[in-house]
Amino acid sequence: MSKQKRNPGQEASETLGWWHAHRFMILRRLSQITVLALFLLTPWLGANWLGIHLIDGNLSSSRILDTVPMTDPLLALQTLAALHPLRLTAAAGALLVAGLYWLIGGRTFCSWVCPINPVTDLAGVLRRKLDIRTSHRLPRTARYWLLGLVLVLPLVTGVLAWEIVNPVSQVYRGLLFGMGSGWMLIVAIFLFDLLVSQRGWCGHLCPLGAFYSLIGKASPVKVNASRREQCDDCMDCYAVCPEPQILPIALKPAKGGGPVLNPSVLNKRDCTRCGRCIDVCAKQVFDFQMNIKFSRQAPDTSRATKRSLAK
Amino acid sequence: MDKKNDKNKTLSRRRFLTGTAQAACATGLLGLGLTYIAEKSKVHAAQALRPPGALPEDDFLAACLRCGLCVRDCPWDTLKLAKPEDPIAIGTPYFNAREIPCEMCEDIPCAKACPSGALDHHLDDINEARMGLAVLIDRQNCLSLQGLRCEVCYRVCPLIDEAITLKRTHNERTGAHTSFEPVVNPDVCIGCGKCEKACVLEEAAIKVMPRDLAMGELGHHYRLGWEEAEKAGKPLIPDLLDLPDRLPEGTKL
């Protein structure tokens, strides 16, 4: 990209209203804050309010209402790689979480729950506002190498080696059980994303994101460029998308040029379902799509197709 | 990677190979670094004790998810999750006996809370836990050993007269009195840390340490004669050897 956009979404904000142009970002922040608040409030509520424990633990493993277990599936795989037979509680929790994120889109975790996301989002925004263009280009596949490493290390060392440095679990643990010097890790990732590599951590390195990419590859929840014939190449979505390499597939017209009828789904596994492209698009090209194949619903009956056919 | 076509048609073999080699080398280097850190994390400070029912340290580090459910379920705020600067593997639960010792809950809620099995779920009796072992490590400053009537560690021990007993010894300093020396029984002490917490000195003379640090281990080939004799029900050597008496000629017994 030769030119960085300083204010993507401005046009959407003017034509569709501020709320429309920011709604998914706001909802995501609410989701992130709500999950954290539930964890934070649980010890206090447990002591002062009917003894009800909403959700104890942290993102590595937790327990809802003293009964339902949740476990980070990648962490569960690491314990298996370290040759520890996991107890049924944690194993069931891992399956539950893996199933949940398959259902709601894999990397939905990254943009709706992960505590690192606001940090790297802020770095991304600042990068745009301050017009910082220097960026060390890392390969997008680096995270899969890292994911392999994360799963091999427990076998070699016998301990959950990645957990010693994993910023995702560490930041959450820090917020809930005492941060200590853990804040330095947050600052390091922020500076890395701001000054060294654009979207460096979440978009290129994070092995947990890579893991959820794989889980969400066949997920029914997708962002869909269902009205791509309306696209006016303003490039706002490119400016805000944390994984812009997935966009051309959605927006590129079919052979021969011109608007096309078939809606294209952003089914590339790296999409974090953050919905920011839906927010900033003044032409309302994108929307979320729940693609569960019931017999009564064929996959190409989205609103856009119907409308285009009606024309 | 931007120029990479979605069908990989433009990706030359040379670029693919160099890219893969670079990624493999970078991953390998990172792996070496992480292995080094992982090995370092296996060592921990003597004052950091694991919760009751914890697997042996090597297995524990393979099993603990660092979720903090044991910490949340500890009613006494004894357990903590290690911060990056704490002297034990980051994120794992531990307690410092001198700060808050284990109160030995009968239902052992911390071990029951563990979802992964890093803390043994089947531990039913807290007296079977082996969190550490109390050691009277400073015999020079211990008040009891100086002949003063302290014995606080003995009095606070939840397993008084079993885990800690008092041994009467002669007070060499006065020549006329008795010293009451606290003696820990390693077969009974569970390492709750009450004694270390209660020690009246500025720095505790009795300390609870991880058992592998506090205890020696007999060579596996060693056999103790008296134990073997008890097992066999009779001495392993038939009788005392009766050597022939050699006497100067002409003498008689």
Side-chain angles (χ1 to χ4, degrees):
Chain A
M1 255 179 291
S2 56
K3 186 173 131 233
Q4 280 203 52
K5 286 206 139 197
R6 294 255 195 138
N7 283 313
Q10 201 172 8
E11 195 193 341
S13 203
E14 282 158 10
T15 55
L16 301 165
W18 187 88
W19 165 249
H20 197 282
H22 294 88
R23 57 198 164 137
F24 281 112
M25 189 175 68
I26 306 239
L27 287 174
R28 282 197 300 118
R29 297 290 173 250
L30 276 178
S31 158
Q32 289 159 352
I33 291 169
T34 307
V35 175
L36 180 63
L38 286 177
F39 274 114
L40 278 172
L41 285 175
T42 295
W44 181 83
L45 285 178
N48 298 303
W49 188 60
L50 301 173
I52 289 176
H53 290 256
L54 295 172
I55 182 161
D56 269 320
N58 58 30
L59 286 189
S60 302
S61 190
S62 59
R63 191 181 54 202
I64 302 171
L65 294 172
D66 277 333
T67 41
V68 185
M70 306 254 272
T71 304
D72 175 351
L74 180 57
L75 193 52
L77 284 180
Q78 289 175 68
T79 62
L80 291 185
L83 306 178
H84 169 74
L86 213 53
R87 266 194 67 221
L88 190 63
T89 316
L95 287 177
L96 185 68
V97 173
L100 178 76
Y101 280 112
W102 167 78
L103 191 67
I104 62 173
R107 289 199 67 193
T108 312
F109 169 84
C110 298
S111 54
W112 293 76
V113 178
C114 180
I116 300 295
N117 173 271
V119 179
T120 55
D121 270 2
L122 180 65
V125 170
L126 278 180
R127 204 171 234 282
R128 211 155 56 224
K129 301 276 181 207
L130 302 174
D131 205 19
I132 301 172
R133 293 183 198 188
T134 50
S135 175
H136 183 77
R137 199 173 286 254
L138 295 161
R140 292 269 177 189
T141 48
R143 49 188 147 189
Y144 295 103
W145 286 90
L146 216 53
L147 176 62
L149 184 66
V150 166
L151 289 172
V152 167
L153 277 177
L155 198 60
V156 178
T157 62
V159 304
L160 308 181
W162 179 245
E163 280 312 292
I164 302 169
V165 291
N166 181 4
V168 178
S169 60
Q170 219 167 108
V171 166
Y172 232 70
R173 199 164 51 230
L175 291 167
L176 296 170
F177 292 90
M179 185 64 83
S181 56
W183 59 270
M184 287 194 278
L185 206 59
I186 308 177
V187 174
I189 286 185
F190 176 76
L191 292 178
F192 177 70
D193 262 35
L194 182 68
L195 302 173
V196 182
S197 180
Q198 185 178 24
R199 290 279 168 193
W201 177 256
C202 298
H204 298 81
L205 294 177
C206 179
L208 187 58
F211 179 74
Y212 278 122
S213 282
L214 297 179
I215 282 190
K217 202 175 168 185
S219 170
V221 171
K222 282 163 181 153
V223 173
N224 183 15
S226 51
R227 284 174 293 277
R228 67 174 170 175
E229 71 279 4
Q230 297 177 11
C231 173
D232 63 354
D233 296 329
C234 75
M235 304 294 279
D236 276 7
C237 54
Y238 275 89
V240 295
C241 181
E243 306 277 349
Q245 79 280 7
I246 64 177
L247 284 171
I249 292 112
L251 293 176
K252 202 170 65 177
K255 257 184 193 171
V260 280
L261 293 178
N262 290 334
S264 170
V265 175
L266 299 188
N267 60 356
K268 293 306 255 186
R269 59 194 177 193
D270 295 335
C271 174
T272 71
R273 277 78 166 171
C274 70
R276 194 74 185 112
C277 54
I278 308 177
D279 279 351
V280 299
C281 183
K283 304 294 178 194
Q284 293 179 283
V285 168
F286 302 93
D287 56 17
F288 271 112
Q289 178 179 307
M290 183 82 184
N291 193 10
I292 294 179
K293 285 178 185 124
F294 295 118
S295 52
R296 62 185 172 81
Q297 192 185 19
D300 64 339
T301 52
S302 72
R303 274 189 296 166
T305 319
K306 279 186 203 153
R307 194 183 310 150
S308 311
L309 290 171
K311 272 177 192 169
Chain B
M1 300 307 284
D2 275 355
K3 285 173 191 157
K4 198 172 97 173
N5 215 316
D6 48 343
K7 292 205 172 155
N8 286 350
K9 271 182 187 164
T10 59
L11 189 67
S12 72
R13 175 181 296 176
R14 174 177 296 178
R15 224 182 120 191
F16 171 76
L17 287 177
T18 47
T20 309
Q22 276 175 347
C25 287
T27 311
L29 278 175
L30 192 68
L32 280 178
L34 284 172
T35 305
Y36 170 75
I37 299 174
E39 293 298 331
K40 295 274 276 184
S41 81
K42 291 179 183 173
V43 183
H44 71 79
Q47 66 268 30
L49 301 171
R50 291 294 184 201
L55 299 176
E57 187 64 11
D58 277 2
D59 298 333
F60 186 85
L61 289 177
C64 176
L65 300 174
R66 297 140 208 246
C67 66
L69 285 174
C70 54
V71 176
R72 285 285 183 255
D73 282 8
C74 172
W76 303 96
D77 290 337
T78 301
L79 295 176
K80 299 180 281 192
L81 286 191
K83 296 178 189 122
E85 63 271 26
D86 288 339
I88 192 164
I90 181 170
T92 55
Y94 77 102
F95 70 100
N96 182 325
R98 187 67 164 166
E99 289 165 13
I100 310 179
C102 173
E103 293 286 344
M104 297 171 64
C105 307
E106 274 185 19
D107 51 346
I108 325 176
C110 50
K112 296 278 181 290
C114 181
S116 74
L119 303 181
D120 185 5
H121 216 244
H122 302 297
L123 182 69
D124 293 323
D125 182 1
I126 187 67
N127 293 329
E128 299 291 315
R130 291 292 176 267
M131 294 172 274
L133 176 63
V135 181
L136 182 57
I137 200 163
D138 186 354
R139 300 178 64 85
Q140 190 176 344
N141 285 307
C142 172
L143 296 180
S144 293
L145 281 177
Q146 295 187 54
L148 299 170
R149 297 303 309 269
C150 173
E151 302 129 36
V152 171
C153 52
Y154 163 77
R155 305 267 166 220
V156 298
C157 178
L159 300 169
I160 185 170
D161 283 326
E162 293 173 59
I164 303 186
T165 49
L166 290 181
K167 181 181 161 195
R168 293 180 199 188
T169 50
H170 179 61
N171 184 341
E172 301 280 351
R173 181 173 58 80
T174 63
H177 299 89
T178 301
S179 294
F180 294 85
E181 176 190 346
V183 176
V184 179
N185 181 352
D187 294 335
V188 181
C189 174
I190 74 160
C192 72
K194 288 262 179 185
C195 52
E196 181 180 341
K197 167 75 179 168
C199 179
V200 301
L201 301 188
E202 280 296 303
E203 180 73 40
I206 190 166
K207 284 183 172 140
V208 178
M209 300 180 170
R211 290 182 80 89
D212 55 350
L213 194 68
M215 294 187 79
E217 191 177 348
L218 204 61
H220 294 282
H221 61 289
Y222 265 62
R223 299 288 178 272
L224 300 174
W226 56 93
E227 282 182 2
E228 298 300 320
E230 200 172 316
K231 257 189 249 168
K234 61 182 169 64
L236 298 185
I237 304 169
D239 275 313
L240 281 176
L241 291 177
D242 188 20
L243 297 171
D245 303 317
R246 293 181 193 280
L247 298 169
E249 272 180 46
T251 52
K252 282 184 182 176
L253 270 177

